[in-house]
Each structure stands twice: as structure tokens, then as C-alpha cells.
């Protein structure tokens, strides 16, 4: 939706336009009406309209002066002036000064609707989708919690292929764990359904589990819209053992499940460097996907499922290239990528290394498959076990053929299912989130109300917004709280409730974690 303001010194004109024309049908949201153009200018930057419709003759300030000042404040804004027949030359002058269009009074319904259509197309053309995304995410870029989250997800997905960028990011965030051995704990959260605020529940789980495990070492938590992760490093050897840690994780998970929170959990082997996070994540997936009950299997992933030292060569980028080819349904590129993935010297130090790599690919194929509706399941759970792969494919050629077969089938499935244009889907999702961010909102509710699968929406938000759904909602809440703190006399608990948190003490912790400052100090400073 694009934002629109109306400026006319006659209240009757403003009321008539609102009653006669359904602006939302043309993707315009009316965010302000003004009879005084100076008041419109005073609120111009806060409202940030895409379109201004203004009368040309007003007693306090004429339309030309108002338009010129509005353009100084917002150079990209589109302006349409309303002019009587006697002011036709006046309107033409306005066009030369940067006004987009003009309409003659009395306003004809057809002409007004044509103008809205024209302005909608013009704004869409000039305001690229990337610029919209930049506007939406600009305030979040300085949020330390979101930046930390981005670092870990980037590290997990890209690893050593973008080492220099990651090292700069690492230094800026003040981290100091690059060469410390670590274990990764991963929880599935996208199946959690609660009556209380979903965002608050996730935030509480992050804080609670971190405290629950603090005896084992230092912990960095991060998350996506589907998973919570805990990166445990600088391990305390006095209390640590893999079996002990796993039992404590399972104890916590069982306790949460007994209270109605559906959690699945995976735990990785010990890894020597942060650049092994990609492999640690795959180990967690293996435990999550292949354990029958998830809570009764007290074994960590088998030794032959990758505990790779950072010096071992493996190209993360080729797995990414494979999935790009799958989504493009490029069969030749799929074959080429799989051949490259499997074509490296066997490393005798790591048992069944090639099958371990194949398991990683198969797990990711399985996860993508789960995002699409199909009666046929091309990748079944039994294919996520090394023993089964070795039985089916005793040679590298057979292993390659199996991966190609499954990747090709998945590519055909994806290409057969059409989805909404990503930009339109994102716009609809963003609008819904903005209207409901202070209520009990989850990815599932947004997906349901934008008529798209939850998994596809999750991927789309991550790709287009460059942040998680949870981060986006939390950031909206924090920014709205800042506004209330700076511009109202609302009590702290009233602000907490107004932005969606019903536990004031908890909200104050969240605010400080995301801004680095307490609620009271923020109000004093602003």
C-alpha cells in the first residue's frame, strides 16, 4: 500500500473525496487530511506520503508554495493539484515546478480514478521494490540483536565461501569464539501454537534455555522463523560431557512438551571452528529428522556424519548452486552441481565422507520438498540415513544417480506449482503485519491471511526483507514503543500493552536487549 495525504482548506472537499473514492482499491492508504498546509508540512517527514493531493488556492499558503516545500522535504513524492477552470494557467505552472498532475474542479469520478491509477503505476515504476525493502528495513540495521542474528545465519548458510565478509562482521560485533570448539543445539519452533503472544513465547524460550545451559560454557543464541539455535562454546570441561549435555537438553525439551509446547530438538557433535556451523546444523537436522520420537534417542549423531575440521576443503557454494538449479529446473546444471559436490579426493580421516555430504544434500532436498503440496514424496525419511544410502548406492556413480533423480523430481514439482509474484505477496504480508503487530501474531497467521503456505512465506520474508519474521515484528514493536515514549505521557505498562507485550517487566528486558538502553532512560533522552 502507498501512503496518501489530502490538503484542502475546505473540510467539505476532504470529506467528499473520502466518501466517494475507495482509495485502497488503487493501493493507496489515506494517512492524513489537512485544512492547513503548514500543518501538513510539519508532519510530512513522519507520514512520508508517496502521493499528495492538494488544492491550488488556499488562504494561508497557496498550492505552488506548499508543493515546492513538500518537494524539498520529500523529493520523490508525487503531487496532484486540484484547480478551478479559472486557474488553468496556474496549474500548468505547477506542472513545470515538479507537480505530477492536476485535476479541474468540479472533480469528475472517472478523471479522479484515472489519476489514481496513473499515480499508482508511476510510483511503482519510480519506487523500485529494492527501495521499498530498504525503507522497511532501514531502522532495523542498527539493531544489535538483529545484526547478530544475521551474522549467524550468514555463517551457517555460506561459511568459508564468504570468510572475509564474515570476519569483518565478526570483528564489528565484538565476538571472540572463532577458534573455540563448539556444540550446536537446534529447536524446531514453527509448529508451536499458543494462546499467548507467540513472539513473547519465543523470546522467553531463548532466554530460558540459555540460562538452563549456562553451566556448560558461553552461549550465543540466534534464530530463524522455523528454528532456535544455541551456539555453546568455551566448554566447561569440569561439568561437560556430550552425554550429560544431551540428557539436559532432552530433559528441558520433555518438560516443555509436557506443558503443551511442541518442540523437536537436535544436537551436533563438537566442532573445532565457527566455519563448521554449516555441518553442525546438518547434524542437528539428521537427529531431528531420523529419530523416531526425538526425545528417546540419547545418542548424538554417529561419528561418520561429519565432524569436519575447518582445514578440510568443501564447497558450500556448490550446494547453493545445486538448489538454484533446482528452482530454475535446469537439469544440466543439477547434474553438473552434483558431480562437483561428489568429485573430491576421499579423506581417509573422515569415515564415509562422501555419504555424509550426500546426507546433507538429501536433508535439504527433503526440507524443500516439504514446502510444496504433493501426493508423491520423492525424498522419504529412510533416505536420510547413511546405512540406507550405502545399501542402495554402494558406488559413487549410483549415489550420484540417486541424487540427480531426486533433485530432478523436486525441480519438476516446484516448476509445476505457480505462486503469487513475490513482490505482491510481500506487500500483502507486510501490510497484514503492520495492522496486527501488537496482537498475538505468528508466521502461520500471516500465511493464512495472505493465502500462501507458511514455509514459502518464511523463505520469501528471509529473501526479500533480509531478516526473520520474528525480527521484523519485534522491530515494529520496539519502534512503536520509542514513538510512545517520545511523544506521549503513557505509562510504561500502557506502552507495553499497546505494542503487544502484556508482561511489562519482560518487555522492559526485550527493549533494553534490542536498543541497549532502558525504557526510562530512553524517555529521558528523547
Amino acid at each position: 500500500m502507498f501512503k496518501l495525504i489530502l490538503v484542502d482548506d475546505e473540510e467539505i472537499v476532504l470529506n467528499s473525496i473520502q466518501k466517494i473514492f475507495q482509495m485502497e482499491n488503487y493501493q493507496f492508504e489515506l494517512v492524513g487530511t489537512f485544512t492547513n498546509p503548514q500543518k501538513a508540512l510539519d508532519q510530512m517527514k513522519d507520514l512520508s506520503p508517496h502521493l499528495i493531493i492538494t488544492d491550488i488556492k488556499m488562504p494561508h499558503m497557496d498550492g505552488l508554495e506548499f508543493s515546492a516545500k513538500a518537494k524539498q522535504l520529500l523529493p520523490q513524492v508525487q503531487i496532484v493539484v486540484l484547480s478551478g477552470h479559472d486557474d488553468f494557467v496556474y496549474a500548468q505552472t505547477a506542472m513545470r515546478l515538479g507537480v505530477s498532475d492536476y485535476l479541474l474542479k468540479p472533480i469528475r469520478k472517472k478523471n479522479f480514478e484515472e489519476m489514481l491509477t496513473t499515480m499508482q503505476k508511476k510510483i511503482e515504476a519510480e519506487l523500485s521494490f529494492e527501495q521499498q525493502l530498504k525503507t522497511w528495513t532501514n531502522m532495523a540495521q542498527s539493531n544489535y540483536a538483529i545484526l547478530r542474528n544475521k551474522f549467524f545465519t550468514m555463517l551457517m548458510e555460506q561459511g568459508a565461501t564468504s570468510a572475509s565478509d564474515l570476519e569483518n562482521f565478526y570483528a564489528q560485533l565484538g565476538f571472540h569464539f572463532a577458534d573455540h570448539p563448539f556444540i550446536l543445539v537446534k529447536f524446531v519452533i514453527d509448529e508451536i501454537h499458543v494462546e499467548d503472544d507467540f513472539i513473547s513465547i519465543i523470546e522467553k524460550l531463548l532466554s530460558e534455555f540459555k540460562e538452563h545451559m549456562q553451566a556448560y560454557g558461553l552461549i550465543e543464541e540466534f534464530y530463524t522463523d522455523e528454528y532456535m539455535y544455541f551456539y555453546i562454546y568455551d566448554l566447561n570441561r569440569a561439568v561437560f560431557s556430550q552425554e550429560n549435555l544431551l540428557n539436559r537438553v532432552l530433559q528441558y525439551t520433555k518438560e516443555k512438551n509436557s506443558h503443551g509446547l511442541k518442540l523437536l530438538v537436535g544436537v551436533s557433535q563438537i566442532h573445532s571452528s565457527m566455519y563448521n556451523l554449516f555441518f553442525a546444523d546438518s547434524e542437528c537436522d539428521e537427529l531431528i529428522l531420523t529419530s523416531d520420537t526425538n526425545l528417546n534417542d540419547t545418542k548424538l549423531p554417529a561419528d561418520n556424519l561429519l565432524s569436519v575440521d575447518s582445514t578440510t576443503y568443501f564447497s558450500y557454494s556448490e550446494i547453493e548452486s545445486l538448489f538454484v538449479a533446482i528452482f530454475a529446473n535446469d537439469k544440466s546444471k543439477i547434474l553438473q552441481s552434483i558431480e562437483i559436490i561428489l568429485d573430491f579426493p576421499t579423506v581417509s580421516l573422515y569415515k564415509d565422507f562422501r555419504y555424509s555430504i550426500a546426507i546433507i544434500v538429501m536433508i535439504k532436498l527433503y526440507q524443500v520438498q516439504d514446502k510444496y503440496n504433493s501426493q508423491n514424496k520423492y525424498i522419504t525419511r529412510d533416505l536420510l540415513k547413511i546405512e540406507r544410502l550405502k545399501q542402495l548406492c554402494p558406488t559413487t556413480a549410483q549415489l550420484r544417480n540417486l541424487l540427480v533423480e531426486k533433485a530432478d523430481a523436486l525441480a519438476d514439482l516446484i516448476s509445476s506449482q505457480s505462486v503469487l509474484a513475490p513482490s505482491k505477496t510481500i506487500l500483502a504480508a507486510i501490510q497484514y503485519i503492520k495492522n496486527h503487530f501488537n496482537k498475538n501474531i505468528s508466521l502461520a497467521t500471516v500465511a493464512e491471511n495472505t493465502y500462501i503456505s507458511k514455509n514459502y512465506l518464511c523463505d520469501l520474508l528471509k529473501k526479500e526483507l533480509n531478516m526473520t519474521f520474528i525480527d521484523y515484528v519485534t522491530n515494529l514493536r520496539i519502534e512503536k514503543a520509542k514513538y510512545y515514549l517520545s511523544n506521549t505521557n503513557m505509562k510504561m505498562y500502557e506502552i507495553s500493552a499497546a505494542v503487544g507485550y502484556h508482561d511489562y517487566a519482560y518487555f522492559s528486558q526485550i527493549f533494553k536487549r534490542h536498543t541497549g538502553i532502558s525504557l526510562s532512560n530512553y524517555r529521558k533522552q528523547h
Side-chain angles (χ1 to χ4, degrees), residues 416-513:
S416 69
Q417 296 192 22
S418 60
V419 296
L420 292 174
S423 59
K424 291 184 178 179
T425 303
I426 284 292
L427 287 170
I430 291 298
Q431 190 58 47
Y432 184 86
I433 293 169
K434 285 182 175 180
N435 291 340
H436 300 85
F437 74 93
N438 59 347
K439 300 179 176 63
N440 180 14
I441 187 173
S442 68
L443 192 70
T445 58
V446 178
E448 182 180 350
N449 284 276
T450 51
Y451 309 103
I452 191 170
S453 77
K454 179 177 64 176
N455 289 321
Y456 178 72
L457 180 58
C458 175
D459 285 350
L460 203 55
L461 286 168
K462 178 182 172 184
K463 177 182 177 182
E464 302 294 353
L465 291 182
N466 197 26
M467 70 174 71
T468 67
F469 162 79
I470 294 172
D471 278 336
Y472 189 76
V473 174
T474 301
N475 193 64
L476 281 177
R477 291 177 170 186
I478 295 296
E479 292 302 321
K480 192 65 173 179
K482 288 179 181 178
Y483 173 82
Y484 287 141
L485 288 167
S486 302
N487 296 280
T488 74
N489 293 319
M490 293 171 65
K491 295 180 174 60
M492 299 296 186
Y493 70 86
E494 292 175 331
I495 293 175
S496 175
V499 300
Y501 294 99
H502 301 294
D503 183 338
Y504 162 65
Y506 173 67
F507 170 62
S508 65
Q509 296 174 14
I510 297 301
F511 187 89
K512 187 170 184 178
R513 183 159 75 86

Side-chain angles (χ1 to χ4, degrees), residues 138-275:
N138 184 50
M139 289 185 295
Q141 299 309 308
S142 60
N143 186 313
Y144 177 82
I146 293 177
L147 290 175
R148 184 180 64 178
N149 210 47
K150 286 183 180 180
F151 169 80
F152 277 104
T153 53
M154 183 178 174
L155 175 63
M156 186 166 58
E157 293 170 358
Q158 301 179 31
T161 57
S162 57
S164 60
D165 291 339
L166 283 166
E167 287 168 4
N168 290 333
F169 208 168
Y170 174 93
Q172 290 170 9
L173 290 168
F175 288 146
H176 54 87
F177 52 74
D179 297 320
H180 287 268
F182 75 91
I183 277 181
L184 185 69
V185 180
K186 177 178 184 177
F187 288 98
V188 178
I189 60 173
D190 68 331
E191 294 299 327
I192 292 179
H193 300 285
V194 292
E195 293 184 4
D196 295 330
D197 180 53
F198 175 81
I199 303 295
S200 297
I201 292 295
I202 299 305
E203 292 271 12
K204 287 178 180 178
L205 287 173
L206 287 165
S207 300
E208 186 179 80
F209 185 77
K210 186 174 181 179
E211 182 178 351
H212 184 74
M213 301 297 290
Q214 63 183 352
Y216 292 94
L218 300 178
I219 303 174
E220 296 288 344
E221 76 279 11
F222 61 104
Y223 50 86
T224 67
D225 291 324
E226 299 167 294
Y227 309 108
M228 292 188 305
Y229 297 89
F230 297 87
Y231 184 101
I232 307 174
Y233 66 100
D234 201 10
L235 301 171
N236 183 352
R237 297 295 179 177
V239 299
F240 172 79
S241 75
Q242 287 180 288
E243 182 178 357
N244 182 281
L245 181 142
L246 180 60
N247 286 335
R248 189 154 178 83
V249 170
L250 295 178
Q251 175 191 4
Y252 176 85
T253 307
K254 288 177 181 178
E255 179 187 339
K256 290 302 162 188
N257 285 359
S258 69
H259 287 85
L261 288 180
K262 183 180 178 182
L263 289 176
L264 299 176
V265 67
V267 183
S268 77
Q269 294 279 358
I270 297 177
H271 287 268
S272 61
S273 163
M274 71 176 189
Y275 289 110

Side-chain angles (χ1 to χ4, degrees), residues 123-137:
I123 292 168
E124 286 177 340
E126 295 189 5
L127 184 61
S128 68
F129 190 55
E130 288 75 16
Q131 288 174 312
Q132 292 180 51
L133 294 180
K134 183 178 179 181
T135 300
W136 293 333
T137 60

